[in-house]
Amino acid sequence: MKFTVKVWRQKNAKAKGKFETYRVEGISPDTSFLEMLDILNNQLIHEGKEPFAFDHDCREGICGMCSLYINGRPHGPDDEITTCQLHCRKFKDGDTITVEPWRSAAFPVVKDLVVNRHAFDEILQAGGFISTTGIAPDANIIPIRKQDADESMDASACIGCGACVATCKNGSAMLFVAARVSALAKLPQGRPEAAKRAKAMVAKMDELGFGACSNTGACEAECPKHISIAHIARLNREFLLANLQD
Amino acid sequence: MVNFLCSSIGKKLIMSLSGLFLVVFLLLHLALNLTALLSESAYNAVCAFMNENILIQIMVPVLAGGFIVHILFSMFVEFKNWTGRPRDMRYAVANKSKATSWASKNMFVLGVIVILFLFLHLFHFWSKMQLASWLGAEEANPYQLVVKTFSCPCVCVLYIVWFAAIYYHVSHGFWSAFQTLGLSNSKWLPRLQFLAKLYAIVVFWGFTLVPVCFYLRNCCGCCGASSCGL
């Protein structure tokens, strides 16, 4: 297969970026998208040009490191997968593929296609945890309703890739925060700090420049783990109840 | 409380509560409008009741307040949202996903259209009925005012465009308000979305029925005046 790849090139956070167009040929349909970018970068190195930077790590769809806004969709044209699980067979031979970084005020571009997603870490540090004192008891000692455990597990599937922010018209992080709040709120271990957690994480999210939720559902549609916006309703509920307790 | 109202969720909560208040108002207004299709005396009697009842007189400024709060808080939320992805950070290729509704992405624009037409509506009816009565001026015959206003096809089309904007606005706003209030979950989300669609359809066709019926009656020569109310 052969492709024309338009890649966003930007030297650093302050520099003005622009698209550069490259041609890549002889790609097997079973090549992963990131491997195709590796081949293209290798080609650039051989031509004496600077390769472009992009994030990746496990390449198994579980670490949340890969990003990329491909042809108008975070993680590319397929549903419920990360960029690293995308293969070239999902494109047509001769296609022009436009690759952009995540675009959000809270995710500044570091270089080319790499963005700084530290804002997510800051939100987690604000309250996305359970404080324990002494020795943690055996998890199976506390009975948990199956439905609650399942909902918590579904929310825990969030890998923090930022596709929700990337696709939201407001650059909102509500699905990410909702998933983290929901995962802990549905478990008895998470209840003692539930009110404090919801307030702290929402306050940090607002402070870091993410937009509000318009309930478009774009985040759920593009989430590689298909996390439901029903968790956003729970976050709203937790936040409201936390403020009523004051 | 100040912290709560300054938060993104707090502002959206106020927007949702005021929005649901307006949703209830729309149904009452629709019921009132439909009496015009029954008879002139029924419609005029209902309008007289609206002008005289003390509770309604109290509710008029409350309703205006509901509109103002809804508009103000939607502006606060929208302007903050614009900073979430500034103009210079827009994508070169727009997301063409069909998973999101057009209305959900254009609520602010739809809201602006609804407000603009609202002023025209207030000029057409409220200023000549309730406001005129408050100012001690001669009040128009409500039924004849409807007949006269909807005798013009341009006005009818403008009103139907307005109702279409309301349809799209409430088809998303209705369930979105419940979602923001936390009154939703994976089971209730599709039910609320269905109810929102149903409510929007009832409101659109209910309101559209009045100008269409009056225009057609006028064309058939059942009613009197024919004059463009623009």
Side-chain angles (χ1 to χ4, degrees):
Chain A
M1 298 179 89
K2 54 182 181 297
F3 301 113
T4 302
V5 189
K6 288 171 77 178
V7 179
W8 182 259
R9 303 299 307 259
Q10 189 172 334
K11 254 195 168 63
N12 53 53
K14 285 178 184 162
K16 204 172 178 314
K18 65 174 171 43
F19 280 103
E20 278 188 18
T21 307
Y22 307 109
R23 295 270 300 162
V24 62
E25 290 178 7
I27 302 293
S28 154
D30 295 328
T31 307
S32 83
F33 189 79
L34 292 185
E35 282 167 350
M36 185 271 284
L37 294 185
D38 289 336
I39 292 167
L40 180 55
N41 260 342
N42 203 30
Q43 188 179 301
L44 292 178
I45 292 167
H46 281 288
E47 288 169 6
K49 293 175 184 165
E50 192 189 341
F52 50 85
F54 61 94
D55 269 329
H56 58 98
D57 194 3
C58 74
R59 298 203 179 196
E60 290 178 345
I62 52 172
C63 76
M65 196 62 199
C66 58
S67 52
L68 305 184
Y69 197 82
I70 305 158
N71 281 353
R73 285 188 71 184
H75 294 303
D78 217 349
D79 292 331
E80 294 182 41
I81 58 159
T82 52
T83 298
C84 61
Q85 296 170 296
L86 178 67
H87 287 80
C88 289
R89 54 179 173 265
K90 283 286 165 189
F91 298 92
K92 287 190 196 116
D93 190 24
D95 265 0
T96 296
I97 305 170
T98 307
V99 190
E100 300 176 70
W102 283 175
R103 302 278 192 196
S104 162
F107 288 167
V109 172
V110 176
K111 188 176 171 20
D112 300 329
L113 301 167
V114 178
V115 294
N116 184 349
R117 285 171 278 181
H118 184 65
F120 271 11
D121 298 331
E122 285 188 56
I123 293 173
L124 286 181
Q125 284 159 9
F129 49 81
I130 291 171
S131 309
T132 54
T133 48
I135 301 162
D138 186 279
N140 293 328
I141 287 175
I142 307 166
I144 301 170
R145 212 158 59 108
K146 175 78 167 73
Q147 190 188 336
D148 291 339
D150 284 350
E151 279 188 59
S152 173
M153 200 61 193
D154 288 346
S156 300
C158 172
I159 51 174
C161 63
C164 47
V165 176
T167 197
C168 175
K169 72 182 183 70
N170 310 326
S172 172
M174 278 290 277
L175 191 66
F176 168 76
V177 178
R180 301 302 175 156
V181 164
S182 208
L184 298 176
K186 289 303 285 183
L187 299 178
Q189 295 93 329
R191 288 314 309 170
E193 292 167 300
K196 191 177 146 197
R197 178 182 307 114
K199 284 201 289 185
M201 290 179 79
V202 169
K204 184 54 84 177
M205 173 185 78
D206 288 344
E207 180 197 318
L208 292 169
F210 292 102
C213 177
S214 291
N215 295 319
T216 64
C219 50
E220 180 185 303
E222 301 296 1
C223 174
K225 302 297 167 187
H226 202 64
I227 290 172
S228 166
I229 56 168
H231 293 292
I232 294 180
R234 181 172 294 111
L235 168 62
N236 290 331
R237 196 157 60 238
E238 290 283 333
F239 183 75
L240 178 62
L241 292 173
N243 278 282
L244 286 174
Q245 283 173 22
D246 286 345
Chain B
M1 190 66 183
V2 176
N3 281 348
F4 173 70
L5 286 180
C6 287
S7 70
S8 56
I9 297 178
K11 279 184 268 196
K12 281 220 63 183
L13 193 106
I14 302 295
M15 217 172 97
S16 301
L17 287 172
S18 54
L20 288 176
F21 171 65
L22 297 177
V23 155
V24 175
F25 159 73
L26 268 184
L27 274 187
L28 290 174
H29 197 315
L30 175 63
L32 177 83
N33 283 14
L34 293 177
T35 58
L37 297 177
L38 299 175
S39 72
E40 179 169 357
S41 57
Y43 185 67
N44 283 349
V46 171
C47 288
F49 172 78
M50 299 295 280
N51 267 354
E52 288 156 13
N53 187 282
I54 186 73
L55 195 68
I56 303 292
Q57 302 304 308
I58 296 168
M59 282 309 288
V60 172
V62 175
L63 177 65
F67 268 104
I68 292 167
V69 167
H70 191 69
I71 293 163
L72 275 180
F73 275 81
S74 63
M75 280 163 69
F76 294 152
V77 172
E78 185 69 13
F79 295 157
K80 170 76 171 62
N81 286 348
W82 288 352
T83 64
R85 181 172 302 122
R87 192 166 280 274
D88 60 342
M89 292 186 89
R90 298 248 172 104
Y91 289 108
V93 183
N95 193 326
K96 295 178 191 81
S97 168
K98 288 184 182 135
T100 55
S101 69
W102 177 82
S104 71
K105 291 182 277 188
N106 295 285
M107 287 297 276
F108 191 70
V109 178
L110 287 166
V112 171
I113 295 170
V114 170
I115 297 165
L116 291 178
F117 279 103
L118 178 66
F119 286 119
L120 183 71
H121 175 60
L122 291 176
F123 167 73
H124 274 155
F125 295 100
W126 184 73
S127 68
K128 291 163 190 167
M129 291 159 74
Q130 202 164 45
L131 183 65
S133 140
W134 287 352
L135 297 173
E138 196 190 340
E139 201 185 326
N141 176 318
Y143 188 83
Q144 288 307 321
L145 190 61
V146 177
V147 171
K148 190 183 163 196
T149 308
F150 293 134
S151 62
C152 171
C154 304
V155 175
C156 292
V157 170
L158 279 179
Y159 269 77
I160 292 167
V161 170
W162 183 35
F163 301 147
I166 293 173
Y167 166 85
Y168 283 111
H169 196 76
V170 296
S171 68
H172 176 73
F174 183 97
W175 74 264
S176 180
F178 284 97
Q179 171 87 354
T180 303
L181 291 168
L183 302 173
S184 173
N185 57 26
S186 47
K187 251 187 202 165
W188 271 93
L189 190 60
R191 291 173 187 170
L192 287 169
Q193 286 171 333
F194 171 76
L195 281 176
K197 201 66 132 188
L198 188 68
Y199 172 84
I201 289 170
V202 167
V203 163
F204 174 76
W205 285 110
F207 278 112
T208 301
L209 210 56
V210 176
V212 169
C213 284
F214 274 83
Y215 179 71
L216 291 177
R217 276 187 204 176
N218 187 59
C219 287
C220 299
C222 308
C223 301
S226 175
S227 148
C228 204
L230 267 175

